[in-house]
Amino acid sequence: MTRKLNVVGFVALFALLFAFPFLGTSAYQVSLASTVLVAAILAATVNFLAGDGGMASLGHGAIAAAASYGAGWASMQGHSMGTQIALALGVGVLVSLVYGLLSMRTSGIYFLMVTLATGMVIYGLAYRLSSVTRGENGITGIESPAALREPWQYYLFVVASLLVVMLALLVVSRSPFGASLRGIRDSESRMRSLGYYVPAIKLVAFLISGSIAGYAGLLSVWHTHFVSPSSAEVHRSVLLFVMVILGGVGTTLGPLVGATIVVLVENVVSNNVERWPTLLGAIFVLAILFARSGLVGGAAKVLARTRARKDPGAEALVGEGA
């Protein structure tokens, strides 16, 4: 029964998202919603690694930025849209492979530090390789596909992308590979003793996550038509992790909820509140104190307890992907 309600809620949410541009919304609101959804896709990749693999990455913002630069360079050279897409996705996969190879034998704080350091290298290269990246000025006028030029067209494409990404990561999470990844998260030494080659599983998980992050970078550059070194700054990756924690690590809808809060505070509240990072920090602290499982995870627990009072067996049936 609970799972059925979860599915109904999921379908209703995406029906609302698809209908959003046709509910009397302005072009600005549709554009802002697109920013939220792209951030949610990126946050979902971080959530997959942290939730199923116990690997906290601070480098996914840089992976997305590298893919954006790939698309930007192709556009700057006058290449076709197909080449632009192929180069962006190829750069995303290549950078993810480098990340994975450097970090697959680490865990915990060491994994976090390796991803942080690699992200800083990409940020430095964005400044130094000015012949490719145009340095601090960045690359402007990046073309997007003709079919996505209108805000509502791009928005619907991003909603469909988010739906596919969420379902794909859910399938991977519930597959035997996902089970082995969670086994590594819970006890790496036990998985080794059972004959699993842990580094390879971690590498594949990072490639899956990083490749989707590269795709999100392509979506982002189609939206803004611009990429600069600021896209690869560490604080972009930190904000992604804040989104995941606010929404709830390991939950399906957590990245979307967290991305909505962070993007709205950064882009809307900041127009009226000069110290918006302080406000975001206060929200983060309150979430840690009163909803340690995140807003989605906390809501699922409250719902479980409410149902348990009516039906003692209901709590055991709570949908794990709230």
Side-chain angles (χ1 to χ4, degrees):
M1 180 64 176
T2 304
R3 284 190 177 180
K4 206 175 281 187
L5 288 174
N6 285 340
V7 171
V8 170
F10 190 84
V11 171
L13 172 64
F14 271 90
L16 179 61
L17 289 177
F18 276 111
F20 183 72
F22 312 107
L23 300 178
T25 50
S26 65
Y28 168 74
Q29 291 169 328
V30 172
S31 178
L32 184 61
S34 298
T35 302
V36 170
L37 297 178
V38 172
I41 293 174
L42 260 175
T45 65
V46 177
N47 182 59
F48 168 70
L49 274 186
D52 284 341
M55 296 179 282
S57 170
L58 286 180
H60 274 54
I63 295 174
S68 296
Y69 269 114
W73 183 85
S75 179
M76 185 173 63
Q77 299 300 317
H79 291 296
S80 67
M81 185 56 61
T83 303
Q84 180 183 351
I85 294 171
L87 188 59
L89 297 180
V91 169
V93 172
L94 180 61
V95 173
S96 300
L97 179 61
V98 172
Y99 265 79
L101 290 173
L102 290 174
S103 63
M104 67 181 185
R105 295 185 182 277
T106 62
S107 59
I109 188 67
Y110 302 105
F111 179 88
L112 186 146
M113 294 304 294
V114 168
T115 58
L116 173 62
T118 311
M120 292 176 71
V121 169
I122 292 176
Y123 173 68
L125 290 174
Y127 265 110
R128 295 292 181 182
L129 296 178
S130 56
S131 59
V132 176
T133 66
R134 289 185 178 174
E136 191 173 354
N137 294 325
I139 302 174
T140 59
I142 301 170
E143 295 183 6
S144 59
L148 304 180
R149 298 282 164 82
E150 293 296 327
W152 66 270
Q153 293 173 324
Y154 174 81
Y155 170 83
L156 292 178
F157 183 76
V158 175
V159 174
S161 296
L162 177 64
L163 178 59
V164 171
V165 166
M166 280 188 169
L167 292 177
L169 290 178
L170 198 59
V171 168
V172 173
S173 177
R174 295 186 176 182
S175 69
F177 175 80
S180 64
L181 193 58
R182 287 189 296 277
I184 292 172
R185 176 198 64 191
D186 296 336
S187 178
E188 200 169 306
S189 57
R190 179 178 296 177
M191 293 298 286
R192 281 201 186 95
S193 67
L194 291 174
Y196 288 89
Y197 188 50
V198 171
I201 295 174
K202 285 186 174 182
L203 176 61
V204 172
F206 207 106
L207 277 173
I208 293 171
S209 177
S211 298
I212 297 174
Y215 176 66
L218 177 62
L219 292 178
S220 177
V221 85
W222 281 348
H223 185 40
T224 61
H225 308 289
F226 171 75
V227 61
S228 71
S230 63
S231 304
E233 285 182 343
V234 172
H235 87 275
R236 305 311 307 177
S237 295
V238 172
L239 283 179
L240 290 176
F241 208 71
V242 170
M243 294 174 192
V244 171
I245 294 175
L246 281 178
V249 178
T251 61
T252 302
L253 295 179
L256 177 58
V257 172
T260 302
I261 294 171
V262 172
V263 172
L264 290 182
V265 170
E266 186 179 13
N267 292 274
V268 179
V269 177
S270 62
N271 293 329
N272 303 307
V273 180
E274 184 178 350
R275 299 188 180 278
W276 64 267
T278 303
L279 175 61
L280 184 59
I283 294 173
F284 183 71
V285 170
L286 289 173
I288 294 296
L289 291 176
F290 300 106
R292 295 188 179 181
S293 302
L295 297 179
V296 174
K301 286 185 176 180
V302 170
L303 187 61
R305 288 170 188 160
T306 303
R307 286 180 181 157
R309 288 173 191 157
K310 300 177 181 178
D311 179 6
E315 188 169 5
L317 296 174
V318 178
E320 43 192 55

